[in-house]
Amino acid sequence: MADEILAELNERFGSGTKDLEADVVAELKSIMRLHELSVQDLFFKWESYGMKMGMDDFKASIDTIRAFKQSLLDELERSNRSQVHIKTEKRVGATPRVAKGGDVFGMLDGLATPGSGRPRPAAKRTPAVSRVRAEPTSSPLKVEDQLNAMGAIPPSSFADRPNPGEVLEILNDQLQAAEPPIFPFAESRIKLTAASDQKKLGYKGLAMKLSEASEILDDRIDDFIGLVTEHHKLEDSAFGSPASQGTTEIVAVGRIASDSLEGKLNAASLVLETSRRMGNGMRVPLNLGKLKGHQFFPGQVVALKGINTSGREFTVHEVLDIPLLPNAASAPDALAAHVQRLRGGPDAMDSDDSPSLPLTTLFAAGPYTADDNLDFEPLHTLCNEAADTYVDALVLTGPFIDMDHPLIASGDFDLPPEASYDPDTATMATVFKHLIAPALNRLVAANPTVTVLLVPSVRDVLDKHVAWPQDAFPRRELGLPKTAVRIIGNPMTLSMNETVLGISSQDVLWELRHEELVGGARTGDALSRVSRYLIEQRHYFPLFPSADRKRLPKTGTGTGTGAGEAAATGGVPPGAMLDVSYLKLGEMVNVRPDVLVVPSALPPFAKVVESVLVINPGYLSKRKAAGTYAKMMLYPPSQEDMGSAGMVAHRIFERARVEITRI
């Protein structure tokens, strides 16, 4: 039992293949005994603590674990004090006590401070939020005061953020960081080509039919049967229904699901859901006893080899590999044309001495302002960085105007004094025009050849299309530059020169990390593992059903009713908001993306997974602190690659230097 606990602690709290130190393990076990927690519950509290403290990584050192332990003890003490206080107020018939400066029965009546027997003046009601503009001294409490009252840490000024510009992580640090150009390029060095059909994302929402949804789910299983048949060279006779009793080993293809609507997926609740064509849509429990290790999550389409001798459960002998999409490749002539574009055109191409600066792209994800204001200081700072260094592209994913922002949710805020608008006809487009668009306009004015991509989020108040997959929001009345800024769908696959770029603003990594079932042998880095799920399943959101909203990271819109963390964490986010009938629009198109951008509440990272460069830039602004963004410098392919015959694999993961940087 002790070995199992140690293995699970290393899996949850370890870093890659490196086991935890002995003193760290001892502290973790001490916390588990003291608070009667399982390893899983302890890990959830650890992640919640990290988010609350604005930690950029979740490395379990002896110092961070001891601080975590003290935080749990402080929270327990606050909770106990609250319970004792409530109990004291409900005592009936207690002996009257003399209050300091008062009498027992309030007989002095105005000659001294009111006693305990006299009614106290009613407390003033505190408004939900304060206005953005300066208030007189008699104004309601500011947001910081309210957070203090709830036991939370007040947000600090953006100007006082620690270590701005610090590089937290570098991928391919052997590649030299190129100096930015001293003046903007004469023309854009980027050619955009859409791979996804964005017109299909403009479907009519809130019109989902159960029959259509079930057909989409069934078709996905049947599609994978064809992939497995071709990849493993199987005959049709090798497949069968896992729900049918038999003595012959078969291959069953289906979707991982749980037999319970509540709780996390576990080995006891694990079932395989078949399609109507292969198994009449039946569900059969899975027995994983003969597997050395397993990695499953709800909605995962798997191919299992096994047998059902009892008719009650399917015993899995082997999990067959799902074939991956092919790597992206281009013809040598096409690569040469992209290199020519990087060098500034045909005239520069003719000169061997003409420099070829790497293509520089910044990736950032919303929210773009802290909970206590609508100044969008992180966004302005990022745009200034993009303007000063003359980057080639800036990719921003939503939310831009976050429905979970306290000021937006209450509607209690003002636009800048210089903004010209009619209050009676103002909309969220007006808010975007006066709070966000100026930063982008200044960027384009300073760097006219930059390409800016905006990707919506289901949390965007600005977008009427709130289901995922999600259509682009209209640019009308937003005050954006006409040519430099483009608004695309969510998710979207496009080509940026030769690079196949896949983007989705939906936080699928966090949900996969907390919904997956991992057992048996060590499975390596958790961030790489959840990223691999997307590539193996060929989908930007393979999880089904999505995670319970109550388990998602809390937002700033709630006020909280309990003590400690419960009062400080806020409200419940909207969740994934999937439109199942159109989930096929969330599939990856034809090839594996060269670069996969998936912003998440997990620690920011840049990793190479199955030849795909996966980037989580983190959030540009956290609820009470500044966040991070990612910078990618892509060097051109070698002359040997461009001179080879046939199609040439892009191998972006070898040519790109990625830096995760504090804003």
Side-chain angles (χ1 to χ4, degrees):
M1 184 65 179
D3 293 339
E4 293 179 0
I5 293 178
L6 178 60
E8 192 171 356
L9 286 173
N10 281 317
E11 166 66 23
R12 296 282 187 177
F13 293 87
S15 176
T17 58
K18 185 178 179 181
D19 291 337
L20 297 173
E21 298 179 359
D23 51 355
V24 173
V25 173
E27 286 290 347
L28 291 174
K29 290 183 176 180
S30 172
I31 297 174
M32 292 170 59
R33 288 192 302 269
L34 183 63
H35 297 276
E36 298 181 353
L37 298 173
S38 65
V39 177
Q40 178 177 327
D41 293 338
L42 178 65
F43 180 72
F44 286 163
K45 286 185 175 292
W46 166 247
E47 285 197 327
S48 176
Y49 169 75
M51 293 177 186
K52 182 175 70 173
M53 299 303 295
M55 296 168 59
D56 292 300
D57 53 7
F58 286 57
K59 293 181 181 179
S61 64
I62 186 61
D63 294 331
T64 56
I65 292 298
R66 284 175 177 170
F68 170 53
K69 182 178 181 180
Q70 185 61 45
S71 175
L72 292 179
L73 291 174
D74 293 342
E75 179 182 341
L76 181 62
E77 183 180 355
R78 286 195 300 266
S79 177
N80 291 337
R81 281 203 304 264
S82 175
Q83 294 175 5
V84 171
H85 177 66
I86 294 173
K87 184 176 179 181
T88 304
E89 287 183 346
K90 292 185 177 181
R91 290 180 60 188
V92 178
T95 304
R97 303 292 182 186
V98 178
K100 185 176 180 180
D103 61 314
V104 177
F105 298 104
M107 296 175 63
L108 298 180
D109 193 16
L111 299 180
T113 304
S116 59
R118 300 186 62 196
R120 289 182 169 84
K124 294 184 179 179
R125 183 179 179 183
T126 303
V129 290
S130 65
R131 293 186 177 272
V132 177
R133 59 182 170 84
E135 297 284 358
T137 55
S138 60
S139 65
L141 288 177
K142 301 291 185 183
V143 173
E144 301 94 302
D145 299 329
Q146 297 175 42
L147 290 173
N148 278 327
M150 295 186 295
I153 301 174
S156 59
S157 170
F158 179 77
D160 298 332
R161 65 195 186 280
N163 305 320
E166 178 187 7
V167 178
L168 302 177
E169 178 182 337
I170 301 177
L171 178 70
N172 290 333
D173 56 355
Q174 74 277 6
L175 298 176
Q176 198 85 23
E179 292 293 330
I182 58 177
F183 50 83
F185 298 101
E187 59 183 18
S188 176
R189 302 198 301 163
I190 288 180
K191 179 182 179 181
L192 288 178
T193 307
S196 301
D197 190 351
Q198 183 157 330
K199 293 182 179 179
K200 292 183 178 180
L201 292 174
Y203 63 89
K204 185 178 180 181
L206 302 178
M208 183 171 60
K209 297 180 181 178
L210 292 179
S211 58
E212 294 177 356
S214 64
E215 288 175 3
I216 290 295
L217 297 175
D218 259 14
D219 290 345
R220 181 165 170 79
I221 296 177
D222 293 339
D223 291 343
F224 271 72
I225 292 176
L227 296 174
V228 172
T229 301
E230 181 179 355
H231 181 69
H232 293 279
K233 310 299 181 185
L234 299 175
E235 301 291 336
D236 291 342
S237 58
F239 295 89
S241 172
S244 300
Q245 184 177 3
T247 57
T248 305
E249 187 179 63
I250 64 168
V251 175
V253 179
R255 178 180 294 103
I256 295 297
S258 174
D259 64 359
S260 174
L261 296 178
E262 299 179 354
K264 188 177 180 291
L265 185 69
N266 57 71
S269 66
L270 192 67
V271 298
L272 184 69
E273 179 182 272
T274 63
S275 66
R276 282 173 290 197
R277 183 168 71 89
M278 292 298 296
N280 294 322
M282 298 183 66
R283 289 184 169 188
V284 57
L286 296 179
N287 185 340
L288 308 179
K290 294 190 176 182
L291 293 180
K292 294 182 179 180
H294 56 266
Q295 304 171 22
F296 296 126
F297 63 87
Q300 181 182 13
V301 180
V302 294
L304 307 177
K305 183 181 290 186
I307 191 171
N308 186 350
T309 55
S310 65
R312 294 188 298 271
E313 65 179 16
F314 186 75
T315 302
V316 182
H317 298 159
E318 181 185 357
V319 180
L320 301 183
D321 294 333
I322 300 295
L324 303 178
L325 285 167
N327 285 316
S330 297
D333 292 343
L335 290 179
H338 294 315
V339 173
Q340 176 180 330
R341 186 176 294 106
L342 291 182
R343 292 181 176 177
D347 296 336
M349 186 66 179
D350 293 337
S351 175
D352 295 334
D353 298 331
S354 61
S356 180
L357 292 176
L359 197 74
T360 305
T361 306
L362 302 185
F363 300 99
Y368 293 99
T369 188
D371 274 3
D372 64 324
N373 66 74
L374 288 175
D375 296 335
F376 289 92
E377 293 173 293
L379 177 63
H380 285 272
T381 302
L382 181 68
C383 290
N384 290 339
E385 171 70 15
D388 294 340
T389 57
Y390 300 116
V391 301
D392 296 283
L394 174 64
V395 180
L396 304 176
T397 66
F400 296 97
I401 303 179
D402 190 2
M403 67 170 64
D404 290 326
H405 193 286
L407 297 174
I408 297 296
S410 68
D412 189 12
F413 63 91
D414 290 329
L415 295 180
E418 65 273 10
S420 176
Y421 65 96
D422 183 0
D424 295 331
T425 60
T427 63
M428 283 298 160
T430 310
V431 177
F432 186 99
K433 179 179 180 180
H434 292 289
L435 295 182
I436 297 178
L440 301 177
N441 281 296
R442 281 193 290 269
L443 165 61
V444 174
N447 186 6
T449 60
V450 69
T451 298
V452 181
L453 299 180
L454 306 184
V455 185
S457 165
V458 295
R459 287 168 50 182
D460 264 310
V461 182
L462 186 68
D463 200 349
K464 296 180 180 179
H465 192 142
V466 296
W468 193 96
Q470 185 179 19
D471 193 14
F473 51 83
R475 62 184 301 140
R476 185 178 63 256
E477 300 179 356
L478 297 183
L480 293 172
K482 293 183 178 180
T483 58
V485 178
R486 304 189 184 187
I487 306 172
I488 59 179
N490 174 31
M492 191 68 181
T493 304
L494 50 86
S495 292
M496 187 180 291
N497 291 352
E498 79 275 20
T499 305
V500 178
L501 175 64
I503 316 171
S504 175
S505 66
Q506 195 65 39
D507 188 357
V508 64
L509 298 183
W510 196 96
E511 296 195 29
L512 284 171
R513 181 68 184 92
H514 291 78
E515 294 296 324
E516 66 174 345
L517 172 64
V518 179
R522 293 290 299 274
T523 53
D525 180 21
L527 298 178
S528 297
R529 185 174 64 244
V530 294
S531 301
R532 185 175 290 106
Y533 291 150
L534 306 183
I535 301 169
E536 290 178 346
Q537 295 292 300
R538 307 174 172 213
H539 205 279
Y540 291 101
F541 200 98
L543 183 69
F544 182 81
S546 56
D548 187 353
R549 294 173 55 204
K550 296 179 181 178
R551 296 204 297 269
L552 298 177
K554 303 302 181 183
T555 70
T557 56
T559 56
T561 55
E565 184 181 352
T569 49
V572 179
M577 304 174 70
L578 302 179
D579 196 319
V580 182
S581 302
Y582 293 90
L583 282 183
K584 194 171 182 65
L585 298 177
E587 294 181 350
M588 297 179 184
V589 182
N590 300 329
V591 295
R592 269 178 273 174
D594 292 315
V595 180
L596 180 60
V597 180
V598 276
S600 174
L602 295 177
F605 65 85
K607 296 181 179 295
V608 179
V609 181
E610 300 292 353
S611 301
V612 177
L613 175 54
V614 184
I615 300 176
N616 168 24
Y619 297 154
L620 193 66
S621 177
K622 300 178 182 179
R623 289 180 51 201
K624 298 184 287 290
T628 57
Y629 66 94
K631 180 179 184 179
M632 183 180 75
M633 289 169 280
L634 178 62
Y635 286 82
S638 65
Q639 293 293 335
E640 296 178 0
D641 291 340
M642 292 187 292
S644 62
M647 302 295 287
V648 179
H650 296 162
R651 304 185 70 81
I652 300 297
F653 60 92
E654 293 181 347
R655 299 191 278 122
R657 174 188 172 98
V658 182
E659 299 175 353
I660 304 297
T661 309
R662 294 183 190 272
I663 186 62

